[in-house]
Amino acid sequence: MNNKQTNNLKALLNFDKESIWHPYTSMSSPLPSYLVKDANGVHINLASGESLIDGMSSWWSVLHGYNHPTLNKALTEQASKVSHVMFGGLTHEPAITLCEKLIELTPNNLDKVFLSDSGSVAVEVAIKMALQYQHAKCHQTNADVTKTKLLTVRKGYHGDTFAAMSVCDPVTGMHQIFEKVLFKNIFAPAPNVAFDEPWDEQETHELESLFKQYHNEIAAFIIEPIVQGTGGMRFYHPNYLKKCRELCSQYDVLLIADEIATGFGRTGKLFACEWAGISPDIMCLGKTLTGGYITLAATLCSEHIANTISQGEAGCFMHGPTFMANPLACSVAVASIKLLLDNNWREQVSFIEQQFSEKLIPLAKNERVKATRVLGSIGAVECNQSVNVANIQKRFVELGVWIRPFGNLIYIIPPLIIKADEIDKLINAIATVLKEDNCFNGEND
Ligand SMILES: *Cc1c(COP(=O)(O)O)cnc(C)c1O
């Protein structure tokens, strides 16, 4: 880079630092940001010249890599037809084709689709559906509406808007800051028996007693199926999810599966609910829905829920975002799902899983590591200490990879097209930083 380019880059980054919020970092003394020039396949290329192998899929969203010709084509062809129209009174083929596909691929009873703009909104929509459903049911019989709360498990994550936040883990979700305005929901202990551990019938006892005690107050139970992502990359036993389904049916509580992180093959099943062979009443999709191209989310529900809401007091579901069913997003989503199915995603995911099992699992031997875990295309290294984000990030960039740990977790979830030598580079970089004291905070952090 010549001097002028270097100065230009500095000016851009200075403005960014002075004036633009980045997620979960201080505005007055922010963590550094790296300026991206472009991205291609599994590579993110920085303006400063480094080319980084992407271990994050841009927060679980990129499936087929960046700058994919098929997805680009879907986007530009749609842009030349219509980029956006309102969804009130108008409809279009991209939305119709996408919803047909979603109904076909998701578990059996999910027959009605509500499209929205982001994962958090899809969760708001799911919660609102559940509340409106219970309200409409009571309205039919003139009964008092008592089912107005949500039941969930600790260590969950469902998004940053208020209803979503009210079902996030109370500790890591910082509930105390918003205590006075958050809904008061009911929390069961986090699932504890791991995915591949022997099942223990005791595991769901407390959950059962909460259902028993509070079912008259509970509209819905919400959970991330099999993988608690942001709450700690915890993979729990499929029997837990089976039991959730049983309890919800027994106590007339709707089951909301938040598949925003786990959907579209990430865990080794197309949807994580399949590990337990269950159908939820409501399912949320997001993140990978457009292969990481544009923000789009979906909330699916059963015909029974849709009909009950439609026969209720309002006569309709009370939600309608401006950019509902954006045609660009829907077109890319259709193309991404087609690629996923054509590319034999099962083989892609099991290849990554096998590579991680061979190479990432043994990092558990490192004295800084508490545990390592792999499920599908998700690999996690849980450390004994929290990471120093600024230092570890800088080292990862020097080592040619893009990995962004949080808390004491270094995890990777690469695009499905990643190759063996690229996986090696990611895992070798993790092995390297594990030996470096300045990448971690003190023992008691
Ligand atoms: C990321 C995530 C969300 C929120 O999605 P946004 O698009 O960030 O609003 C909700 N639930 C789960 C499980 C997620 O991983």
Side-chain angles (χ1 to χ4, degrees):
M1 252 190 306
N2 63 33
N3 268 351
K4 195 171 157 220
Q5 284 167 324
T6 310
N7 285 339
N8 188 26
L9 197 138
K10 272 194 189 142
L12 289 173
L13 284 174
N14 251 339
F15 184 87
D16 186 275
K17 186 175 170 194
E18 288 296 321
S19 310
I20 310 181
W21 290 100
H22 281 262
Y24 293 103
T25 188
S26 157
M27 187 80 242
S28 49
S29 150
L31 291 166
S33 290
Y34 297 84
L35 188 66
V36 173
K37 183 173 60 136
D38 52 34
N40 222 306
V42 296
H43 288 92
I44 296 175
N45 305 313
L46 300 185
S48 48
E50 296 91 341
S51 181
L52 312 177
I53 293 174
D54 178 24
M56 304 306 297
S57 291
S58 285
W59 277 337
W60 308 64
S61 69
V62 174
L63 272 180
H64 315 293
Y66 298 87
N67 200 7
H68 195 290
T70 309
L71 301 185
N72 290 358
K73 186 160 168 268
L75 192 63
T76 50
E77 279 186 0
Q78 186 56 45
S80 69
K81 291 179 194 156
V82 53
S83 293
H84 186 65
V85 282
M86 62 188 280
F87 212 51
L90 297 173
T91 192
H92 46 80
E93 203 171 319
I96 295 166
T97 313
L98 173 62
C99 293
E100 267 178 353
K101 242 353 246 174
L102 294 180
I103 291 167
E104 180 194 324
L105 295 174
T106 52
N108 265 336
N109 63 326
L110 299 169
D111 294 330
K112 311 286 174 189
V113 191
F114 190 99
L115 295 168
S116 62
D117 8 28
S118 76
S120 300
V121 175
V123 170
E124 297 286 321
V125 164
I127 291 172
K128 208 191 254 190
M129 272 180 185
L131 295 174
Q132 234 192 294
Y133 166 83
Q134 300 293 3
H135 188 277
K137 257 183 80 177
C138 294
H139 187 71
Q140 285 169 358
T141 56
N142 272 325
D144 281 345
V145 186
T146 60
K147 286 174 169 280
T148 56
K149 285 187 180 164
L150 296 154
L151 174 64
T152 188
V153 291
R154 287 179 184 269
K155 299 204 192 286
Y157 178 76
H158 298 284
D160 291 351
T161 51
F162 273 87
M165 200 165 43
S166 76
V167 285
C168 288
D169 184 82
V171 180
T172 57
M174 291 273 170
H175 278 202
Q176 67 275 21
I177 300 176
F178 304 104
E179 203 173 86
K180 295 228 163 71
V181 285
L182 277 189
F183 300 128
K184 301 279 177 286
N185 291 319
I186 302 164
F187 290 85
N192 200 34
V193 177
F195 184 82
D196 47 8
E197 276 175 0
W199 176 243
D200 174 3
E201 290 294 337
Q202 299 288 321
E203 167 85 337
T204 50
H205 274 186
E206 196 158 340
L207 183 69
E208 277 184 76
S209 41
L210 288 171
F211 266 96
K212 207 175 202 166
Q213 191 180 350
Y214 293 111
H215 64 96
N216 278 330
E217 298 171 42
I218 304 171
F221 174 76
I222 180 167
I223 192 163
E224 296 155 275
I226 306 299
V227 176
Q228 292 191 292
T230 306
M233 299 299 145
R234 306 173 82 248
F235 311 148
Y236 66 84
H237 201 288
N239 282 359
Y240 190 93
L241 193 56
K242 268 190 207 154
K243 191 71 191 178
C244 296
R245 176 67 278 179
E246 283 170 30
L247 289 166
C248 283
S249 301
Q250 181 182 344
Y251 286 107
D252 187 25
V253 166
L254 296 180
L255 174 59
I256 303 174
D258 179 352
E259 291 254 13
I260 290 167
T262 48
F264 301 103
R266 281 296 186 191
T267 68
K269 300 281 185 193
L270 201 50
F271 299 100
C273 282
E274 294 170 25
W275 284 112
I278 61 130
S279 283
D281 301 296
I282 300 177
M283 181 187 268
C284 303
L285 299 173
K287 289 200 163 89
T288 47
L289 184 53
T290 65
Y293 261 56
I294 324 182
T295 180
L296 180 71
T299 307
L300 288 93
C301 74
S302 65
E303 183 163 9
H304 171 65
I305 294 175
N307 287 348
T308 308
I309 289 173
S310 304
Q311 285 151 19
E313 196 173 21
C316 63
F317 180 55
M318 298 301 288
H319 210 93
T322 306
F323 282 94
M324 186 167 183
N326 174 259
L328 293 174
C330 291
S331 290
V332 184
V334 169
S336 173
I337 293 170
K338 185 168 183 323
L339 265 182
L340 185 72
L341 303 176
D342 290 351
N343 279 353
N344 201 347
W345 62 271
R346 267 194 193 84
E347 246 166 55
Q348 291 180 318
V349 173
S350 74
F351 169 74
I352 296 172
E353 182 170 47
Q354 170 236 324
Q355 294 284 308
F356 283 5
S357 303
E358 254 172 56
K359 298 162 184 170
L360 182 136
I361 291 291
L363 296 181
K365 286 195 287 263
N366 191 297
E367 64 179 33
R368 219 187 288 275
V369 175
K370 191 166 160 195
T372 51
R373 300 187 274 282
V374 170
L375 181 68
S377 63
I378 314 163
V381 178
E382 188 179 344
C383 303
N384 291 314
Q385 295 149 282
S386 62
V387 300
N388 178 313
V389 178
N391 290 353
I392 206 169
Q393 193 93 82
K394 181 161 173 282
R395 286 295 290 135
F396 278 138
V397 169
E398 286 164 3
L399 294 163
V401 299
W402 182 248
I403 299 173
R404 189 167 177 88
F406 67 92
N408 61 349
L409 276 166
I410 305 173
Y411 73 101
I412 46 179
I413 171 155
L416 301 186
I417 55 161
I418 196 164
K419 299 199 195 68
D421 59 324
E422 295 159 341
I423 292 177
D424 288 349
K425 201 160 170 185
L426 289 175
I427 295 174
N428 289 339
I430 298 175
T432 302
V433 299
L434 283 173
K435 296 190 207 104
E436 299 180 6
D437 288 337
N438 72 342
C439 290
F440 294 85
N441 295 316
E443 296 290 338
N444 298 318
D445 276 306

